[in-house]
Amino acid sequence: MNAVVGSGTLITFPTLLAFGYPPVLANVSNNIGLVPGVLSAAYGYRRELRGQRRRLLRFGAASLLGGLVGALLLLRLPDAAFRAVVPVLILTACVLVLLQPRLNRWMKNRRERAAASRPDGGLPMWLGVLGTGVYGGYFGAAQGVLLMGMFGAVLRDDLQRLNAAKNVLASIVNGVAAIVFIAVADVDWTVAALIAAGSTAGGLIGARLGRRLSPLVLRGVIVTVGVTASALLIAQS
C-alpha cells in the first residue's frame, strides 16, 4: 500500500493499538519500522526517478523540514487536535485526484505559460509539500495520498513518475522523524523490527505492482484508499 498509494499506517497503527500499545509508542515504533519499507519502495521505482533530480532536491528540502517539525510536534502536543483535521485533508486530496483530468485540461494553457518560471508549482506547491511533511512526521497515515493529490492536480508528468517522487519524499519524512524518535522517544524495537521486515518486502512487491497499473486504475486505488482512510479515522474519533 505504501509503495502504490501511501496508507500502510492505517493498517499497522490500528493493529498496534488493538494489541494494547499506547498511541504515541505505537506511532513512534510504527514510523521507525516503516522507514526501510519506503526506502525499498523508492528503490523499486528507481527507473521512474530518472530526470527528477531537481524536483527531488527542491521538494526534498521541504519534506526534510516538515518531517522534523512534525516529529517534534508529536512529542510535544496531544494527538486529538491534529487528528481531527486528518479526514478533511485526505478527502480533499481524493477530490483533487478524482478531478485530475479535468483540472489538467483547465490548467493546461496556464501551466504552459508558467512552465519556464515555475515548472514544479512554485511556492504554493513547495509549501504544500512542507505541510504534508509536517503531517507525515506527526502521524503519517495517507501522506502519500496527500502528495499524489497535489502532484496530480498541478504537475504535468506521468503518474508513475510522480508516484516514484512521492516514495522518495515519504522516505525523507519518515527518515528524519525516525532519527528524532530514536534520539528522544521510547521505542518498542521488537515492533519496529517486525514492521521493518514486512514493509521492506512489501515495498519491493508494491513497486512492481504499482508500475503495471494504468493511470486510471492507480487513480482509482488512490481515491478508494483515501476515502476508506477518512471513514476509519472518523469512526475512531
Side-chain angles (χ1 to χ4, degrees):
M1 287 179 65
N2 277 335
V4 178
V5 181
S7 295
T9 294
L10 291 172
I11 294 178
T12 53
F13 181 73
T15 299
L16 294 178
L17 294 182
F19 276 99
Y21 289 90
V24 173
L25 177 62
N27 199 11
V28 166
S29 304
N30 176 69
N31 180 285
I32 294 173
L34 288 177
V35 171
V38 291
L39 288 173
S40 68
Y43 176 79
Y45 270 95
R46 61 193 181 280
R47 187 173 67 199
E48 285 76 13
L49 291 173
R50 294 171 185 169
Q52 298 200 69
R53 181 179 179 181
R54 181 179 177 183
R55 172 183 291 166
L56 294 176
L57 288 174
R58 183 167 181 266
F59 290 154
S63 293
L64 182 67
L65 178 59
L68 177 61
V69 172
L72 294 175
L73 286 175
L74 175 66
L75 300 178
R76 301 281 296 185
L77 301 175
D79 293 346
F82 194 82
R83 189 180 298 183
V85 304
V86 171
V88 176
L89 294 174
I90 296 175
L91 288 175
T92 301
C94 290
V95 171
L96 291 174
V97 173
L98 193 62
L99 297 179
Q100 180 195 354
R102 182 172 298 180
L103 287 171
N104 283 348
R105 290 193 297 268
W106 181 76
M107 297 179 66
K108 181 178 179 180
N109 294 332
R110 179 181 176 184
R111 286 186 302 184
E112 286 177 349
R113 289 194 300 267
S117 59
R118 299 192 304 173
D120 278 330
L123 182 60
M125 177 62 75
W126 194 90
L127 292 176
V129 174
L130 174 67
T132 304
V134 173
Y135 167 61
Y138 189 91
F139 184 51
Q143 66 170 313
V145 175
L146 297 175
L147 284 171
M148 289 300 290
M150 291 187 299
F151 286 175
V154 177
L155 303 184
R156 294 191 64 194
D157 207 340
D158 178 73
L159 200 61
Q160 297 292 358
R161 282 171 51 81
L162 296 178
N163 198 36
K166 175 265 293 181
N167 286 331
V168 173
L169 298 181
S171 69
I172 293 174
V173 172
N174 283 31
V176 69
I179 292 173
V180 173
F181 296 153
I182 291 172
V184 299
D186 292 329
V187 180
D188 189 311
W189 289 105
T190 300
V191 167
L194 289 171
I195 294 177
S199 67
T200 300
L204 294 173
I205 296 171
R208 288 193 173 192
L209 293 176
R211 187 181 288 114
R212 295 174 183 175
L213 293 176
S214 69
L216 180 62
V217 174
L218 183 56
R219 191 176 298 115
V221 171
I222 293 170
V223 172
T224 300
V225 172
V227 171
T228 302
S230 299
L232 289 174
L233 291 171
I234 292 172
Q236 293 171 2
S237 62

